[in-house]
Amino acid sequence: MDDPDPHDDTSADYEQFETELLAQDRDVTGVNTADIDDTTAQSQINELLDADVVTPVPEDRVLVHEPSGTAFDSPTQLAVFHRGWTAACDADEEAE
């Protein structure tokens, strides 16, 4: 029996494809939240308030992220959380 033709070997293609998928997974899980400063956070919170995604609770001095039910006392923490939460939801939709 003849040896397989090395030009017909597709194992390297599979490994390359797998490497690409792993890189995409790392991109999704590595959402950059370091660039959210106070001004950016406040702007994003205002947009989320207008879209009814965030509800202020003045007596408790917190902001509630409605889709998750999580309360935050810091607009920056909420903005970082929402960015990560949105990325995770988008990743779940792509996986389906």
Side-chain angles (χ1 to χ4, degrees), residues 3-96:
D3 289 332
D5 184 356
H7 297 291
D8 290 337
D9 183 15
T10 59
S11 63
D13 293 340
Y14 177 76
E15 290 171 4
Q16 185 176 4
F17 178 69
E18 188 176 83
T19 301
E20 179 63 29
L21 289 178
L22 289 172
Q24 289 174 7
D25 287 347
R26 272 187 241 114
D27 289 345
V28 170
T29 59
V31 175
N32 187 2
T33 57
D35 62 342
I36 297 181
D37 59 12
D38 291 339
T39 305
T40 304
Q42 192 58 51
S43 175
Q44 184 174 4
I45 297 305
N46 288 337
E47 291 173 13
L48 295 173
L49 285 166
D50 291 342
D52 293 328
V53 174
V54 171
T55 303
V57 182
E59 57 272 6
D60 295 333
R61 300 183 119 188
V62 296
L63 298 166
V64 177
H65 184 256
E66 291 300 333
S68 68
T70 308
F72 295 89
D73 60 359
S74 164
T76 304
Q77 289 176 342
L78 175 55
V80 169
F81 174 83
H82 182 74
R83 187 175 283 186
W85 182 83
T86 303
C89 289
D90 291 346
D92 287 344
E93 289 175 5
E94 287 179 11
E96 292 176 356

